[in-house]
Each structure stands twice: as C-alpha cells, then as structure tokens.
C-alpha cells in the first residue's frame, strides 16, 4: 500500500497527511544531491560546524517546499540560526528539521537521514506535546519511518517512481543486545562508565556508525540502545535536543521503547533554545531504566 493511502486508511488528520506527504516528496531531490552536491560548503552552521554542500541543499529544498505549501507556521532547522515564521500559514504547526543527520558520512557513502519533529504550535515545547515525527533514511534503500501520536510506527520504502510503499506496519522495538556508544571512553563520567561496562559484561555488541539516525534505526529494528552521553568537556552532551533527541525519541517511544537524558524522559524536557544540546540514551525500556537507576544510585 502506498504512503498516502495508508495515512488515509489510518484516519490520519488531513493536515498531518499533507505534511508527511510533503516530506516524502522531497526525498528524490535530496537524493539527487548525493551525486551533484558532494563535499564541504564554505560556511558554518549555528554550532560552528562546517556545513556540507548537501546539508545546505537539503535545508533549502525543505524550507522552500514548506514555505510554498504554507502547511506550518514555524520552521526550525539545524542549519538556520533562527526559527522561521511562515506568514499566512494554514496550520499553527511547528516543525523541527535536521536536514541531513550524519552528513560527515556522505563522502564515504554510508547511511544518512532527514529527521523531522511535528508540533501543534511553536517548537520550543517538550517533546511529549508532539503530534508526530518521521525520518527518511538514505541507505541501500531509501525508507521513510513515521509515527503520529498513538497510531504506531510504520516504515515505507521508496520505489523507482519516487513513491513510498508500506514495508512494515506497527514496528515495535524488540529485545536485543546492540549498543551504540558515542564519545571517547577516556572522557566517560563514572555513572556512564558503569552503565557501559554492565552492558558489555552482558554481551552487548558494538554498533556505531557516526550517523545517529542510522544507528537508532538499527536499534529500532534489532533492539539495544544508542547513547551520546554527557562527558568530560561537554557536560550537556553533543547531540541536539530539538533536531535529534526529541523526534527520534518520539518514534522510539511510540514503538514501545524509551528515551532519556540519563535522569528523566527526554520528551519531558522543555527546550530553552533551538540550539540546546542534551545527553541522550535511546532504545529499549530495559536499557533506559538501567542507566537511570545507575545514575540515581
Ligand atoms: P552531523 O549531522 O553534523 O554529521 O552530526 C552527526 C551527529 O550529530 C550524529 O548523527 C552522530 O551520532 C554524532 O554526530 C557523531 O559524532 P562523533 O563523530 O563526534 O562521535
């Protein structure tokens, strides 16, 4: 079944349906850049990181499509310093976008992705207010995985015609023994070290690619957990709350998993600014309960 038909069958709100379809339709143009827009751009983003040409291109494609559609009132992207207000929008929705997560892997042809969070209004609100979230993964296949609150998590694959067809309905995170740990071991804080050592003693296998969206996608299918913790020199962690943690946390939570900053559910955290960073633990409920209990003790 094609994505649009599936959304209708599920009784998805018409405005949300249009929005999810809009993102699905930008995948072809973004993918075209993998050949034509390789390499670094001469600019840095709000975090001082060198932008890849394709980061910028994906950002431009998505912002232009959203502005033209007038489907959302607020657009926050990892590549823009300020939240964009869309005048005359038909919905009060706010959107967060990481146009190309894992972009340092473009040059080596590993999987990267677009991550989107959907809010009922302004985006500086806790993740538990979200209407839904989705990500598009550009790997050997291009897939789109979405959730709307309470409707389950569903995965679609892009065909040669650019349309997305249902691959797996009602995804739930299985029990599994993969762990994807970011940051350098020498910089681990004591509670985090204890957590990782416990997973290792239980036989968890290492999987870390440098693309959060791809690593979490694997955990969603195979079980286990991903972490980019607080560490010496970066006590707030490295990953972005709004662009990475919250939307992927929403997907994994709707699939029966959990997300935490090590102390509380990440979806309960109210962002202070679009640039907020956070420590993140995301994956199976068992693993997330374990880090929270180790950190408390
Ligand atoms: P980019 O989108 O700028 O490549 O950032 C990727 C990322 O935020 C996340 O996807 C990775 O898990 C993490 O950085 C990897 O960072 P390190 O290579 O510093 O461990």
């Amino acid at each position: 079944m094609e994505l649009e038909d599936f959304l209708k069958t599920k009784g998805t709100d018409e405005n949300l349906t249009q929005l999810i379809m809009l993102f699905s339709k930008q995948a072809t143009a973004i993918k075209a850049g993998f050949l034509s827009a390789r390499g670094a751009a001469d600019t840095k983003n709000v975090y001082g990181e060198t932008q890849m040409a394709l980061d910028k291109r994906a950002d431009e494609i998505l912002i232009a499509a959203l502005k033209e559609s007038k489907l959302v009132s607020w657009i926050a992207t990892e590549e823009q310093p300020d939240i964009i207000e869309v005048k005359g929008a038909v919905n009060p929705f706010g959107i967060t976008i990481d146009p190309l997560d894992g972009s340092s892997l473009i040059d080596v042809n590993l999987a990267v992705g677009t991550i989107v969070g959907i809010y009922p209004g302004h985006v500086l609100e806790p993740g538990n207010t979200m209407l839904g979230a989705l990500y598009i993964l550009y790997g050997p296949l291009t897939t789109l995985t979405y959730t709307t609150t309470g409707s389950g998590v569903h995965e679609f694959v892009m065909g040669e015609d650019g349309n997305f067809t249902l691959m797996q309905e009602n995804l739930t995170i299985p029990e599994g023994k993969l762990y994807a740990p970011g940051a350098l071991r020498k910089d681990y804080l004591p509670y985090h070290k204890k957590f990782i050592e416990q997973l290792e003693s239980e036989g968890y296998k290492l999987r870390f690619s440098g693309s959060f969206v791809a690593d979490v996608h694997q955990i969603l299918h195979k079980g286990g957990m991903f972490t980019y913790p607080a560490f010496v020199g970066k006590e707030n962690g490295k990953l972005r709350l709004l662009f990475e943690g919250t939307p992927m946390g929403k997907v994994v939570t709707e699939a029966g998993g959990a997300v935490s900053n090590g102390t509380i559910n990440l979806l309960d955290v109210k962002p202070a600014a679009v640039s907020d960073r956070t420590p993140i633990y995301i994956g199976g409920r068992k693993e997330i309960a374990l880090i929270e209990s180790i950190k408390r003790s």
Side-chain angles (χ1 to χ4, degrees):
M1 187 186 294
E2 293 214 345
L3 177 59
E4 192 160 9
D5 296 330
F6 184 85
L7 287 159
K8 284 190 181 138
T9 308
K10 281 268 167 192
T12 315
D13 172 83
E14 178 56 31
N15 293 316
L16 276 179
T17 298
Q18 284 182 29
L19 197 51
I20 293 167
M21 289 310 297
L22 178 142
F23 279 100
S24 78
K25 288 185 177 138
Q26 309 318 310
T28 304
I30 292 174
K31 269 169 65 106
F34 289 124
L35 265 179
S36 63
R38 296 170 65 79
D42 284 338
T43 49
K44 292 188 189 292
N45 66 12
V46 59
Y47 306 94
E49 299 160 342
T50 300
Q51 292 175 303
M52 304 301 285
L54 199 53
D55 267 335
K56 289 185 72 173
R57 182 187 159 114
D59 193 50
E60 285 159 13
I61 289 171
L62 294 170
I63 291 174
L66 283 165
K67 278 185 170 169
E68 197 192 324
S69 75
K70 299 220 180 290
L71 281 173
V72 302
S73 295
W74 310 98
I75 308 169
T77 93
E78 198 182 274
E79 305 303 326
Q80 302 292 328
D82 301 310
I83 297 174
I84 299 166
E85 184 177 354
V86 182
K87 301 270 185 236
V90 295
N91 298 307
F93 298 163
I95 287 282
T96 62
I97 307 173
D98 183 346
L100 265 191
D101 182 57
S103 52
S104 69
L105 299 183
I106 294 168
D107 284 353
V108 291
N109 195 28
L110 288 179
V112 298
T114 299
I115 308 175
V116 179
I118 308 170
Y119 291 75
H122 201 274
V123 298
L124 289 182
E125 292 297 334
N128 58 29
T129 65
M130 294 170 90
L131 300 174
L134 66 90
Y135 61 90
I136 300 174
L137 189 65
Y138 312 98
L141 296 173
T142 298
T143 59
L144 183 153
T145 305
Y146 89 88
T147 187
T148 56
T149 305
S151 82
V153 176
H154 316 291
E155 187 178 337
F156 295 79
V157 61
M158 189 174 165
E160 282 177 12
D161 58 3
N163 291 324
F164 284 85
T165 309
L166 183 63
M167 209 158 119
Q168 199 172 337
E169 189 174 354
N170 292 322
L171 267 166
T172 53
I173 184 167
E175 294 243 333
K177 287 199 164 179
L178 296 184
Y179 76 124
L184 298 182
R185 192 171 276 260
K186 73 174 180 58
D187 295 330
Y188 283 178
L189 299 173
Y191 65 85
H192 183 75
K193 183 166 182 275
K194 196 167 162 195
F195 171 62
I196 294 295
E197 282 173 357
Q198 175 145 352
L199 296 183
E200 287 168 346
S201 73
E202 290 177 20
Y204 279 65
K205 280 207 262 178
L206 183 66
R207 294 285 185 278
F208 189 87
S209 73
S211 167
F212 170 68
V213 60
D215 289 336
V216 174
H217 178 80
Q218 179 168 205
I219 299 291
L220 179 62
H221 279 273
K222 297 190 174 169
M225 72 96 226
F226 173 102
T227 172
Y228 216 114
F231 56 95
V232 175
K234 275 205 175 155
E235 278 68 17
N236 290 328
K238 172 179 175 182
L239 299 198
R240 290 83 183 180
L241 175 64
L242 271 175
F243 303 115
E244 293 169 306
T246 309
M248 293 304 282
K250 173 75 176 171
V251 172
V252 169
T253 300
E254 293 285 336
V259 64
S260 174
N261 60 11
T263 307
I264 60 166
N265 185 339
L266 202 66
L267 300 183
D268 290 338
V269 175
K270 184 167 165 62
V274 281
S275 55
D276 281 4
R277 293 177 191 264
T278 182
I280 180 164
Y281 297 84
I282 180 169
R285 283 193 198 165
K286 187 177 74 178
E287 290 82 359
I288 304 312
L290 177 65
I291 177 59
E292 288 185 350
S293 110
I294 290 178
K295 190 162 184 234
R296 260 195 315 270
S297 63

